[in-house]
Amino acid sequence: MKPSRFGIHSLRQASLLVVCALFGFLTAVTAPAARAQDPLDGVWQGYDGEWRHVSEQLIALAEATPEKNFAWRPAPGVRSTSEVYMHIVDASFYLLSITGPKMPADLKDDADKTVTSKAEVIRWLKRSLEAVKEAHLKETPEHLARKVRIEDRDSTVDWMYLRIIIHANEHMGQLVAYARMTGVVPPWSK
């Protein structure tokens, strides 16, 4: 076969060049996404998107925090890092239980004081965040409007979910402050 004006000698060589060019193009286009997650993923995407956003940040921050920092507290009598995470766990399960799902039988009343290792805290954190996500995905407009009672007050299932996400974000801010005070940079801000 006579070479083309581009120096290609065969159909096989031409196919290989096309595949290599396509691979190079796809690598260049997707490389930024592979390197870093979009720090605004989930933002402005309704409850489920916002829940995914705060969940991913809580997990990323917990995973970036060294084991020794889980016992750190900014002052005597103030919650330690592990206690803040376990408070989020307990509150998420409790508020979710007001909407219908039961509290986990294996979550003890003193878990914020007894669950202190990084691995165990992260396991509980993931479990609680996933429980809220799964429960909310199953909600119907009728069930979200259902009236509930919490601490002698009237509320709705929808408002319970709002409280859950606000609570998680409140403590995210606290945990970011803890992280910065101990030299940990939140992964999404690098």
Side-chain angles (χ1 to χ4, degrees), residues 22-80:
L22 182 59
F23 179 76
F25 172 76
L26 289 175
T27 300
V29 169
T30 61
R35 278 195 303 271
Q37 181 183 357
D38 178 0
L40 296 178
D41 180 42
V43 176
W44 306 298
Q45 296 175 0
Y47 185 91
D48 296 324
E50 295 287 350
W51 185 252
R52 184 176 71 250
H53 180 76
V54 72
S55 296
E56 288 172 358
Q57 285 188 323
L58 282 166
I59 292 166
L61 189 59
E63 289 174 343
T65 301
E67 174 83 33
K68 66 182 174 69
N69 291 23
F70 275 69
W72 183 86
R73 64 183 75 239
V78 178
R79 286 184 177 127
S80 69

Side-chain angles (χ1 to χ4, degrees), residues 2 35 55 63 65 84 92 152 155 181-182 189:
K2 182 175 150 186
R35 278 195 303 271
S55 296
E63 289 174 343
T65 301
V84 175
S92 294
D152 298 327
S155 190
M181 286 189 276
T182 59
S189 70

Side-chain angles (χ1 to χ4, degrees), residues 73-134:
R73 64 183 75 239
V78 178
R79 286 184 177 127
S80 69
T81 301
S82 68
E83 289 170 342
V84 175
Y85 279 113
M86 290 309 296
H87 172 70
I88 294 168
V89 168
D90 187 56
S92 294
F93 277 126
Y94 170 67
L95 294 170
L96 187 60
S97 76
I98 301 299
T99 74
K102 302 285 183 225
M103 290 285 291
D106 56 335
L107 180 62
K108 304 300 178 207
D109 289 341
D110 63 349
D112 62 324
K113 303 288 188 227
T114 59
V115 177
T116 59
S117 76
K118 177 178 178 174
E120 201 174 3
V121 168
I122 291 174
R123 183 178 60 78
W124 272 107
L125 180 64
K126 288 179 177 179
R127 184 174 164 188
S128 69
L129 298 171
E130 185 67 18
V132 172
K133 174 187 148 191
E134 291 302 317

